[in-house]
């Protein structure tokens, strides 16, 4: 039996048409931000968020006032989550070692790990106040030692969300702005009269935020392409339809274009899951969003074997991959393209989204084929250096460098080597000529 789709979402052509619409809108918007600065971002904030404060940057007194509106229990929950994220980021940081090695006598090569000097962290809050996104970006940048962390979030219901602001502040943000969407991303990357540009943008967002980051890459660094949420459940008959349906719809509620895919080798589970989805969609409080997302982007794929399930999962390269099978560790060993794995029925994507400690800013749109998710290492630049300590080493390396530069036709390069052969090796090299091999 070939792979069967018991349910398919809209086709790639429809998805591509929507992507092109987003691309054009973002391109025009970023041009306007670059040309008109603060005036443009204010107009956009008024248009999309009905928000036009005296300053988009929050003062310390405004921050403290907002934090005071968050209950003690919620503050403790935020601190607990941030502790988990910080601990894991610190453990990851400890794996990044600096290096210095003598590769030849008198030749020293090394690398240093240097934090990115300024980062803009985007925290979505327009539809849902994504408190956890502040942990994932701000806390991780802080662990990396980034000296300037600017964080921005969209207004929630027309004003700053206190819990999001609290999470940004407690996580270590040095500047906090209330500016959402394309305007927030554009302002941090391009800069305006009142907002200093950053070196790197991080954080998830909707299709417009993700596209803005894509278009700004090069002008600034970005963490990765983190667009609308994607989830995949890989399951066999060790679990039931209710569990699979709950995990699929739990992520489909993110937005109207959040893919949710079940891959299974059990037709009974596939049919049961489809039935459970319809039942849960009648009672889920966020069903209006989840229903549309499931209708347009939900898929159920029936395979013959675990090998087919693996191949299909690697082909799709989903952001979140929940694995609930007899062979969870086998999938851990053989999965190559994904954002993050959630292994076994006791964990789930929401754990990773909110609290467990791994980062929830993950690659979407098949980007898991070439990058992992946001982690402390994304904020660290590894820079190499070299030292030549002896005349003998300068002569040995210079001789090879002269000839290899000549081989490529780079005579100026060759002279950089030749001048050192003359000064440190006592060699009489004709100008712009290749150094000859010294006889032993």
């Amino acid at each position: 039996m070939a792979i069967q789709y018991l349910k398919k979402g809209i086709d790639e052509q429809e998805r591509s048409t929507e992507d092109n619409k987003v691309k054009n809108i973002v391109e025009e918007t970023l041009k306007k931000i670059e040309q008109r600065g603060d005036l443009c971002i204010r107009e956009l904030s008024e248009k999309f968020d009905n928000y036009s404060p005296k300053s988009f940057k929050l003062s310390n007194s405004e921050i403290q006032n907002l934090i005071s509106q968050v209950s003690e229990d919620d503050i403790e929950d935020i601190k607990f989550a941030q502790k988990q994220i910080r601990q894991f980021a610190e453990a990851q940081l400890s794996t990044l070692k600096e290096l210095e090695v003598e590769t030849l006598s008198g030749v020293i090569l090394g690398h240093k790990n240097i934090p990115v000097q300024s980062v803009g962290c985007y925290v979505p809050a327009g539809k849902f106040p994504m408190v956890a996104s502040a942990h994932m970006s701000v806390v991780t940048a802080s662990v990396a030692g980034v000296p300037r962390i600017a964080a921005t979030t969209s207004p929630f219901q027309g004003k700053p969300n206190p819990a999001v602001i609290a999470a940004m502040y407690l996580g270590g943000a040095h500047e906090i702005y209330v500016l959402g969407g394309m305007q927030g991303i554009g302002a941090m990357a391009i800069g305006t009269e009142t907002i200093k540009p950053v070196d790197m943008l991080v954080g998830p967002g909707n299709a417009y935020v993700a596209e803005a980051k894509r278009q700004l890459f090069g002008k600034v660094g970005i963490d990765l392409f983190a667009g609308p949420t994607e989830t995949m459940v890989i399951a066999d008959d060790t679990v039931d339809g209710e569990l699979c349906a709950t995990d699929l719809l739990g992520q489909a509620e993110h937005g109207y274009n959040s893919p949710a895919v079940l891959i299974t080798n059990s037709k009974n589970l596939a049919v049961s899951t489809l039935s459970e989805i319809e039942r849960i969609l009648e009672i889920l409080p966020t069903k209006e969003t989840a229903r549309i997302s499931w209708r347009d982007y939900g898929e159920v794929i029936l395979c013959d074997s675990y090998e087919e399930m693996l191949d299909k999962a690697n082909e799709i390269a989903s952001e979140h991959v929940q694995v609930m099978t007899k062979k969870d560790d086998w999938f851990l060993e053989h999965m190559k393209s994904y954002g993050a794995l959630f292994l076994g029925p006791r964990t789930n994507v929401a754990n990773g989204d909110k609290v467990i400690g791994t980062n929830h800013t993950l690659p979407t749109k098949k980007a898991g084929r070439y990058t992992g998710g946001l982690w402390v290492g994304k904020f660290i630049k590894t820079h190499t250096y070299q030292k030549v300590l002896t005349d003998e080493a300068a002569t040995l390396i210079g001789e090879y460098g002269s000839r290899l530069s000549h081989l490529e036709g780079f005579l100026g390069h060759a002279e950089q080597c030749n001048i050192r052969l003359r000064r440190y090796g006592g060699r009489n090299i004709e100008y712009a000529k290749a150094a000859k091999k010294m006889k032993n």
Side-chain angles (χ1 to χ4, degrees), residues 323-339:
V323 182
M324 298 182 289
T325 70
K326 300 182 182 81
K327 302 177 65 172
D328 295 349
D329 287 339
W330 182 83
F331 279 98
L332 173 61
E333 181 181 355
H334 291 93
M335 282 289 295
K336 305 301 181 187
S337 300
Y338 57 91

Side-chain angles (χ1 to χ4, degrees), residues 347-359:
T347 192
N348 65 87
V349 175
N351 283 350
D353 277 350
K354 310 305 177 190
V355 67
I356 207 167
T358 54
N359 207 290

Side-chain angles (χ1 to χ4, degrees), residues 106-118:
V107 175
I108 305 297
L109 307 181
H111 74 231
K112 287 178 61 66
N113 295 326
I114 302 172
V116 175
Q117 294 298 286
S118 62

Side-chain angles (χ1 to χ4, degrees), residues 173-188:
H174 305 114
E175 303 163 24
I176 297 178
Y177 299 87
V178 183
L179 190 61
M182 297 177 287
Q183 58 271 25
I185 292 291
M188 288 196 296

Side-chain angles (χ1 to χ4, degrees), residues 105-106 388-398 420-421 423-426:
S105 179
V388 178
L389 303 180
T390 66
D391 292 350
E392 292 79 7
T395 302
L396 175 64
I397 292 294
R420 286 162 175 82
L421 287 170
R423 294 190 179 190
Y424 299 110

Side-chain angles (χ1 to χ4, degrees), residues 409-430:
F410 283 111
L411 305 188
H413 286 60
E415 265 307 300
Q416 290 180 267
C417 300
N418 290 346
I419 195 172
R420 286 162 175 82
L421 287 170
R422 298 182 192 111
R423 294 190 179 190
Y424 299 110
R427 301 280 301 277
N428 184 20
I429 310 295
E430 187 178 347

